[in-house]
């Protein structure tokens, strides 16, 4: 028999709704003011727009060179996710299935690297990247994301793979499957729930990242959406109608992605907890 709905539950729900509304207030101000003329923003910031001013978005779209920065962000995010999934899934699999002390040492090294602040290695990283000709390169940035994202990705894959029965792999080996084929044909399809979760989490991180691209991508033609929005906001800081519209253009793709993949987040977390 399920728990009864009582006054305490009602109070907790009201409290949760109030917290949610507090977090939504900034979004309301950005969305509503991005649809107002500049003069209306100055007179009443908190009111709803009297008439929807979509010209703000058209002007910001053109001045931001939105299609270029969008394509740069998409290339970086997709390529980084591909290399993280491919290399980290294989690495985690070998670390789980290789029952040696060195495997535990390597795994703990990846986990320990997660707690190192980026600011502490920022200068050595840029110096090393410069000597390897990785600066002002989208693919150089992807390699760096592989390094910074490996710890969390391997950690999540490692925990999930431990729940996969070894008997499935033993049966495949008896049937003549190679070690490479064993992983990609038998093991990797079983990793779909955690892979989807990893892709979503890494996409949110990589898409919104500002600091690393600002250090690596000095060429304006290579700017990502956060970088372009930062420079745009600085240039048009007195034109809040255009600046807020540009900010919304940077948020919209991520909102669409998140809402489209929301059910997969829940499913992946649920499957991971069961494993």
């Amino acid at each position: 028999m399920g728990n009864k709905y009582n006054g305490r539950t009602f109070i907790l729900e009201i409290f949760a709704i109030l917290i949610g509304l507090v977090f939504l207030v900034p979004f309301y101000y950005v969305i509503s003011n991005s649809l107002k003329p500049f003069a209306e923003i100055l007179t009443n910031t908190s009111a709803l727009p009297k008439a929807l001013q979509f010209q703000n978005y058209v002007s910001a779209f053109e001045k931001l060179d939105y299609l270029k920065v969008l394509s740069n962000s998409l290339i970086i995010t997709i390529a980084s996710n591909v290399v993280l999934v491919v290399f980290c899934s294989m690495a985690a699999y070998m670390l789980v299935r290789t029952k040696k002390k060195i495997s535990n040492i390597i795994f703990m090294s990846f986990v320990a690297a997660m707690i190192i602040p980026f600011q502490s290695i920022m200068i050595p990283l840029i110096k090393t990247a410069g000597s390897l000709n990785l600066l002002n390169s989208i693919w150089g940035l992807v390699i760096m994301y592989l390094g910074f994202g490996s710890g969390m990705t391997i950690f999540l894959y490692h925990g999930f793979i431990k729940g996969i029965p070894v008997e499935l792999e033993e049966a495949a080996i008896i049937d003549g499957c190679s070690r490479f084929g064993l992983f990609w044909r038998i093991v990797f399809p079983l990793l779909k729930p955690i892979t989807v979760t990893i892709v979503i989490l890494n996409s949110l991180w990589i898409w919104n990242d500002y600091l690393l691209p600002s250090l690596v991508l000095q060429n304006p033609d290579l700017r990502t959406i956060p970088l372009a929005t930062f420079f745009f906001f600085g240039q048009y800081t007195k034109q809040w109608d255009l600046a807020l519209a540009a900010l919304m253009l940077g948020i919209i793709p991520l909102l669409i992605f998140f809402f489209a993949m929301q059910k997969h987040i829940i499913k992946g977390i649920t499957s991971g907890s069961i494993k």
Side-chain angles (χ1 to χ4, degrees):
M1 186 174 178
N3 294 327
K4 293 182 178 180
Y5 188 85
N6 51 36
R8 182 181 178 185
T9 305
F10 176 75
I11 293 173
L12 289 174
E13 287 181 350
I14 296 298
F15 183 68
I17 292 171
L18 291 175
I19 292 176
L21 290 175
V22 169
F23 280 98
L24 287 175
V25 167
F27 288 100
Y28 164 76
Y29 277 98
V30 173
I31 294 171
S32 64
N33 288 296
S34 68
L35 293 168
K36 296 177 183 178
F38 183 66
E40 190 178 339
I41 294 176
L42 296 178
T43 56
N44 197 339
T45 306
S46 59
L48 289 170
K50 297 177 182 177
L52 301 181
Q53 187 77 10
F54 289 106
Q55 183 59 38
N56 294 344
Y57 285 84
V58 175
S59 300
F61 188 95
E62 296 172 352
K63 295 178 184 297
L64 197 62
D65 198 2
Y66 186 71
L67 292 179
K68 179 180 286 293
V69 297
L70 177 64
S71 64
N72 289 340
S73 288
L74 285 174
I75 291 171
I76 292 170
T77 304
I78 293 172
S80 300
N81 272 303
V82 169
V83 296
L84 279 167
V85 167
V86 170
F87 289 105
C88 294
S89 61
M90 292 191 293
Y93 172 73
M94 291 304 298
L95 290 174
V96 172
R97 294 297 185 242
T98 305
K99 303 296 184 181
K100 294 182 180 179
K101 189 175 182 179
I102 188 64
S103 297
N104 292 329
I105 295 174
I106 294 173
F107 175 67
M108 293 307 300
S109 298
F110 276 110
V111 174
M114 293 165 52
I115 65 174
I116 300 176
F118 174 74
Q119 291 78 4
S120 65
I121 60 172
M122 187 168 59
I123 295 175
L125 172 69
I126 298 306
K127 287 185 176 181
T128 304
S131 63
L132 296 175
N133 294 320
L134 295 179
L135 297 180
N136 271 325
S137 168
I138 284 179
W139 302 111
L141 183 60
V142 170
I143 292 172
M144 294 182 196
Y145 278 132
L146 173 61
F148 285 110
S150 293
M152 176 63 75
T153 306
I154 288 176
F155 175 76
L156 293 174
Y157 271 129
H158 193 277
F160 198 89
I161 291 172
K162 286 193 294 186
I164 297 177
V166 182
E167 290 77 12
L168 291 174
E169 302 169 31
E170 293 174 346
I173 292 174
I174 293 173
D175 290 338
C177 189
S178 65
R179 194 66 181 266
F180 188 80
L182 168 66
F183 176 76
W184 290 110
R185 295 179 183 178
I186 306 299
V187 177
F188 190 75
L190 298 175
L191 301 179
K192 182 180 177 182
I194 194 65
T195 297
V196 172
T197 303
I198 286 170
V199 168
I200 293 170
L201 295 176
N202 284 334
S203 295
L204 295 174
W205 157 53
I206 294 168
W207 186 276
N208 286 319
D209 188 27
Y210 167 79
L211 185 55
L212 186 56
S214 69
L215 296 172
V216 176
L217 305 176
Q218 301 298 324
N219 188 342
D221 291 334
L222 300 178
R223 286 175 180 168
T224 59
I225 286 182
L227 275 179
T229 305
F230 172 79
F231 286 105
F232 184 90
F233 213 91
Q235 185 178 0
Y236 293 93
T237 187
K238 294 182 180 179
Q239 294 179 253
W240 288 96
D241 50 345
L242 296 183
L244 292 173
L247 190 61
M248 278 304 303
L249 287 174
I251 296 173
I252 287 171
L254 199 57
L255 287 176
I256 294 172
F257 173 78
F258 180 79
F259 285 120
M261 303 296 289
Q262 188 176 18
K263 64 178 182 180
H264 296 289
I265 297 178
I266 299 171
K267 187 184 298 183
I269 293 173
T270 304
S271 299
S273 64
I274 294 173
K275 288 287 184 182

